[in-house]
Amino acid sequence: MIITLYFFALMSSTMAWGRVGLWSEGRVRNETGGGSKDRCACDAFLPSSTFPIGDLVVVEQAAGEISHKLELEMGKLEDYESKLTAYAEKIIKLTVEIERMEKNPDDYNDADMDEVKVEIKQVEALIKELQLSMRGSSTVFESLHVQITAMVETLNRLEKTYDKNVVLVTRREYIKVQLQLEECERRHQELFNPNIGSCAHTGIIKVSKPIVSQLNAHLNSGYKFGGWGKDSKPVPDRESMYWYSGYTSGSIVDIRFYTNYKNLILRNHFQHHNLHSSWIGRGNNFILRDNTLYYQINSPFGLAKLNFTTMKYESRVIPKASTKFSYTNSPNQNFDFAADETGLWVTYATDETSGRMVIGKINEPSFGIEEEWQTSVYKPGVSNAFMVCGVLYAVRIVDIETEEIFYKYDTKTKEESYIRVPFERFQEKYSNLDYNPTDQKLYMYNDGYYVNYHLWFNHTTKDTVEPPFLLT
């Protein structure tokens, strides 16, 4: 059987499109001399004879491979969950048995003790096996992110150069795969990090590789300033909501809301608020908490909040705060809002502290500063900062690809220390970095791209019941 591909130029944008890469097939009878012969005809409609169909085919093949890998990983996660339940039951039984032995040692002989020791070693071996398997899954996720990032870059390039209708179908396939990966990672994260909301840890010990969602909702790499993420204290029925606000300069003039991650990726917002001309802000370290935008204003220089439930606007001036000190690569970020498990914060620098950062705890109902802490870290030497469980973490540039969490200040103990927790950037510069306590992730707006990171903490047994082992 002879296979022939017929390529037709797309003369009108109104012509119907089939899915690129999955050719429509039909049997065509050969009427020219030499007798009749069946052949298979596959038609692909292209905008021009030079359209790089090979690139789309590669993207679609990659999407299929990734989807298959994700199905395998989801199967593994179900297996992990059942094993974790079984292991936990074994550990509980062993714990009860050991407590009995401690209370009534005369009722047990050496053989009983040896039997318990063997069971403990068996459980330890099973746990080690499970840890290795889950680490293997993490490696798979990192590999998939690299593939997906390459896919979206190809689609963005084609969309800018050729008819967007051609690329749209393949982009939808990419979005499906991206959502599959997000769901798979979410379940994986729940196994790795079952203590969301708990502060029973001694701090951050690891940051994941950058998880890149896509370019901003404007699909424009020139929108380098802005932010994105989730509400750190969501109102009822908006727990899955995402927000985005991006610009070509450091102004804050509007914000878009999306019901969930899928609609964020599809750029399908359900609300778009334009700020009143007298409410426009500056800088990029704004956050959303309790359906309220907290941000910096320059006239007068101070703090501002806009509640989107009541549309009530408020502002506050901090007399000592200075306009002279901002982050390394981000002008006009004099105030940096942050939210964590303990509430709402803002950091800034003053002339009195010679540019060293001050941490302020915000009383949310009154919108006033209820307590302050002075640190020794110089703000212009910091690329960004965020709060976790009442602890300030400051970040600095290591090289063109790497950031490092290098400093922490605990507001509970008033102790500060220098640490080294490196992590990668997706692009060279970023304008917004914030922690969200609802999922214990870092959200970064990185040269126009939505990027986020998983965090690992050094968990303790204080004030909480921990799982029988820690997966790292």
Side-chain angles (χ1 to χ4, degrees):
M1 180 174 65
I2 302 172
I3 299 204
T4 306
L5 297 181
Y6 292 94
F7 294 89
F8 298 95
L10 182 62
M11 302 304 294
S12 169
S13 61
T14 60
M15 291 181 68
W17 258 88
R19 179 179 158 192
V20 178
L22 296 181
W23 317 108
S24 58
E25 298 183 4
R27 300 185 71 82
V28 179
R29 186 165 299 279
N30 185 357
E31 302 295 347
T32 59
S36 63
K37 184 182 295 185
D38 287 341
R39 63 183 180 182
C40 181
C42 304
D43 299 340
F45 295 89
L46 303 178
S48 71
S49 59
T50 60
F51 186 87
I53 191 64
D55 289 348
L56 280 182
V57 172
V58 170
V59 168
E60 285 204 331
Q61 289 174 343
E65 292 172 3
I66 292 172
S67 182
H68 177 65
K69 289 178 182 178
L70 285 173
E71 288 176 4
L72 294 176
E73 290 302 318
M74 290 296 284
K76 287 182 183 179
L77 286 175
E78 292 175 1
D79 185 47
Y80 295 159
E81 289 171 347
S82 62
K83 285 183 178 179
L84 281 171
T85 301
Y87 296 170
E89 290 175 355
K90 286 185 178 181
I91 290 171
I92 291 171
K93 290 179 181 178
L94 282 171
T95 302
V96 172
E97 188 66 26
I98 291 171
E99 287 176 351
R100 288 176 182 168
M101 287 182 172
E102 290 176 341
K103 291 178 181 178
N104 305 291
D106 296 335
D107 295 344
Y108 298 88
N109 54 35
D110 291 343
D112 294 327
M113 295 292 291
D114 290 339
E115 184 178 346
V116 171
K117 289 178 181 178
V118 169
E119 290 182 18
I120 291 173
K121 289 184 180 295
Q122 288 175 343
V123 172
E124 286 179 345
L126 291 172
I127 289 172
K128 289 179 180 178
E129 179 183 348
L130 182 59
Q131 286 178 316
L132 290 172
S133 181
M134 293 188 77
R135 286 171 186 161
S137 291
S138 296
T139 303
V140 171
F141 291 147
E142 291 172 3
S143 173
L144 293 179
H145 276 302
V146 172
Q147 288 181 266
I148 286 180
T149 299
M151 285 168 60
V152 74
E153 286 178 352
T154 299
L155 290 173
N156 286 337
R157 174 172 54 81
L158 294 176
E159 201 168 48
K160 290 177 181 178
T161 309
Y162 300 95
D163 188 339
K164 289 186 178 181
N165 292 326
V166 178
V167 185
L168 183 60
V169 177
T170 304
R171 177 175 286 282
R172 287 172 181 159
E173 295 302 311
Y174 152 74
I175 290 170
K176 289 179 183 178
V177 173
Q178 178 73 22
L179 292 174
Q180 279 183 284
L181 180 58
E182 181 76 7
E183 172 62 16
C184 200
E185 282 195 319
R186 183 190 64 77
R187 293 186 61 187
H188 196 253
Q189 173 73 358
E190 286 176 355
L191 293 178
F192 268 97
N193 207 354
N195 297 299
I196 289 176
S198 169
C199 287
H201 56 75
T202 58
I204 299 170
I205 56 175
K206 181 183 176 182
V207 181
S208 74
K209 289 186 177 296
I211 301 167
V212 184
S213 296
Q214 68 169 38
L215 193 61
N216 57 64
H218 291 91
L219 294 180
N220 189 328
S221 58
Y223 282 69
K224 296 182 180 297
F225 302 93
W228 79 292
K230 301 182 73 174
D231 193 317
S232 64
K233 186 183 177 183
V235 297
D237 299 324
R238 291 198 174 187
E239 291 83 1
S240 61
M241 185 184 75
Y242 284 79
W243 60 270
Y244 157 69
S245 184
Y247 318 98
T248 56
S249 66
S251 299
I252 307 168
V253 299
D254 69 343
I255 186 169
R256 290 170 170 81
F257 295 100
Y258 306 84
T259 54
N260 51 37
Y261 182 80
K262 176 182 177 181
N263 283 321
L264 172 78
I265 298 301
L266 293 174
R267 297 183 290 128
N268 181 25
H269 61 265
F270 73 93
Q271 281 185 350
H272 178 197
H273 287 285
N274 286 298
L275 275 61
H276 189 277
S277 59
S278 60
W279 300 348
I280 291 175
R282 293 287 286 174
N284 296 278
N285 272 62
F286 44 89
I287 63 168
L288 196 75
R289 181 172 177 81
D290 198 20
N291 205 35
T292 301
L293 179 68
Y294 290 88
Y295 61 105
Q296 172 185 319
I297 53 173
N298 280 11
S299 182
F301 176 65
L303 315 179
K305 63 182 288 191
L306 177 59
N307 187 305
F308 292 110
T309 303
T310 63
M311 291 310 295
K312 180 182 178 181
Y313 172 83
E314 294 181 62
S315 63
R316 290 287 185 274
V317 172
I318 300 179
K320 293 182 179 180
S322 173
T323 59
K324 298 177 183 177
F325 307 103
S326 185
Y327 290 134
T328 304
N329 290 321
S330 305
N332 301 310
Q333 288 189 215
N334 310 110
F335 290 111
D336 182 4
F337 286 93
D340 66 1
E341 292 81 358
T342 65
L344 181 64
W345 307 81
V346 65
T347 59
Y348 50 92
T350 69
D351 291 329
E352 289 181 0
T353 64
S354 301
R356 287 169 175 78
M357 292 180 69
V358 176
I359 306 169
K361 183 66 182 294
I362 296 177
N363 182 299
E364 294 181 57
S366 69
F367 196 36
I369 303 295
E370 60 184 32
E371 193 171 358
E372 291 180 333
W373 296 262
Q374 182 179 322
T375 74
S376 64
V377 66
Y378 184 55
K379 183 167 183 176
V382 173
S383 54
N384 224 291
F386 56 91
M387 300 291 296
V388 179
C389 291
V391 178
L392 172 76
Y393 289 88
V395 179
R396 65 184 175 189
I397 298 169
V398 176
D399 55 43
I400 195 170
E401 296 178 344
T402 312
E403 294 284 311
E404 178 184 64
I405 302 174
F406 74 99
Y407 172 88
K408 59 190 281 190
Y409 182 98
D410 192 330
T411 59
K412 297 184 292 294
T413 64
K414 297 184 180 180
E415 295 178 352
E416 57 186 352
S417 58
Y418 288 86
I419 59 177
R420 294 190 64 182
V421 183
F423 63 97
E424 296 178 22
R425 290 189 307 277
F426 174 63
Q427 300 284 352
E428 184 178 354
K429 294 181 181 179
Y430 64 96
S431 60
N432 189 303
L433 180 69
D434 272 306
Y435 170 77
N436 194 301
T438 66
D439 54 16
Q440 291 189 330
K441 287 184 180 182
L442 286 180
Y443 287 85
M444 174 188 284
Y445 190 70
N446 190 181
D447 258 357
Y449 283 84
Y450 304 148
V451 179
N452 67 84
Y453 301 84
H454 292 307
L455 297 178
W456 280 263
F457 299 93
N458 184 20
H459 283 282
T460 66
T461 56
K462 184 179 179 181
D463 298 330
T464 188
V465 177
E466 294 295 322
F469 54 88
L470 175 66
L471 296 173
T472 59

